[in-house]
Amino acid sequence: MKKVAVILSGCGVFDGAEIQEVVLSLLALEQNDAQWQCFAPDIDQHHVIDHRTGEAMNETRNVLTEASRIVRGEILPLTDLNVDHFDALLVPGGFGAAKNLSDFAYNGDPVQVNQEMFAVCQAFARAEKPAGYMCIAPIMIPQIYPKGVKGTIGNEPDIAAAFNRMGGEHIECPVSDYVLDQRHHLLSTPAYMLATSVLDAASGINRMVKKLVELA
């Protein structure tokens, strides 16, 4: 049975991992007979958002602790992730990918990827093990993979331009599909960059996860 490492960035679309993307991803992995183990960096969130109002809250939360809410506590610190123990990597989106795993949301490009995140993702790339990124998470791809790497965030012009400026090749992609960079065993799908419903998000996530497990 294939083993997939899943990296989360908190809990909640505006300041952490997109919960529906995470749940859909884990469901799709199990439906494709793959095991999963979630990880998250043991760091403070960039900030905390009240998801009812969209306003920042005057409190501090830990990315690992918050992410554990989604997966019923089945999670480990990112520093415990050993690439040798896994066949593939999966990174759901949510603003946490651009706020906690990287600084794209507040500094733009060139993206600075969290040091632990960068080391782990590069380890999978060097080992030529397949990886899948979704939603806004692919904005980190050009900093992790060599120049010319292909990926998608859907069709948002400004983010696509940032992807290209960092040395990547952005490919427009509908929510129901994914982009495969065969050279780097790398997949990406727009998910909630384009999705307007859970069903919408599931269409591309399911296809990408199926292919990820096939490649593993």
Side-chain angles (χ1 to χ4, degrees), residues 102-177:
S102 75
D103 66 353
F104 179 71
Y106 45 93
N107 284 333
D109 66 281
V111 172
Q112 295 296 313
V113 181
N114 168 275
Q115 200 167 26
E116 293 174 12
M117 179 70 177
F118 183 77
V120 164
C121 294
Q122 273 218 322
F124 274 91
R126 284 196 302 268
E128 298 186 344
K129 293 187 176 183
Y133 293 71
M134 66 186 69
C135 192
I136 192 61
I139 198 62
M140 295 181 280
I141 285 174
Q143 301 296 74
I144 295 164
Y145 289 83
K147 188 174 182 179
V149 64
K150 296 178 174 65
T152 192
I153 47 80
N155 59 14
E156 211 288 323
D158 290 342
I159 301 179
F163 190 98
N164 291 336
R165 281 194 299 270
M166 290 187 289
E169 180 185 343
H170 183 267
I171 309 295
E172 288 199 8
C173 179
V175 69
S176 59
D177 207 353

Side-chain angles (χ1 to χ4, degrees), residues 30-51:
E30 293 190 10
Q31 288 174 330
N32 285 278
D33 297 319
Q35 292 180 333
W36 54 266
Q37 174 62 59
C38 286
F39 298 86
D42 188 3
I43 58 174
D44 288 340
Q45 293 182 187
H46 171 64
H47 60 189
V48 180
I49 296 293
D50 182 335
H51 280 62

Side-chain angles (χ1 to χ4, degrees), residues 13-138:
V13 58
F14 298 123
D15 57 11
E18 214 298 324
I19 298 170
Q20 293 172 359
E21 290 180 1
V22 176
V23 175
L24 289 168
S25 296
L26 301 183
L27 176 61
L29 286 170
E30 293 190 10
Q31 288 174 330
N32 285 278
D33 297 319
Q35 292 180 333
W36 54 266
Q37 174 62 59
C38 286
F39 298 86
D42 188 3
I43 58 174
D44 288 340
Q45 293 182 187
H46 171 64
H47 60 189
V48 180
I49 296 293
D50 182 335
H51 280 62
R52 296 173 302 163
T53 65
E55 299 296 321
M57 301 172 68
N58 186 26
E59 61 178 87
T60 301
R61 296 189 186 183
N62 178 275
V63 172
L64 177 60
T65 300
E66 290 301 295
S68 72
R69 294 175 178 272
I70 307 176
V71 292
R72 303 166 67 93
E74 292 296 322
I75 196 165
L76 296 170
L78 188 53
T79 50
D80 287 1
L81 203 171
N82 185 336
V83 65
D84 294 336
H85 298 164
F86 293 91
D87 302 297
L89 173 68
L90 186 59
V91 186
F95 276 98
K99 293 178 176 179
N100 304 325
L101 301 183
S102 75
D103 66 353
F104 179 71
Y106 45 93
N107 284 333
D109 66 281
V111 172
Q112 295 296 313
V113 181
N114 168 275
Q115 200 167 26
E116 293 174 12
M117 179 70 177
F118 183 77
V120 164
C121 294
Q122 273 218 322
F124 274 91
R126 284 196 302 268
E128 298 186 344
K129 293 187 176 183
Y133 293 71
M134 66 186 69
C135 192
I136 192 61

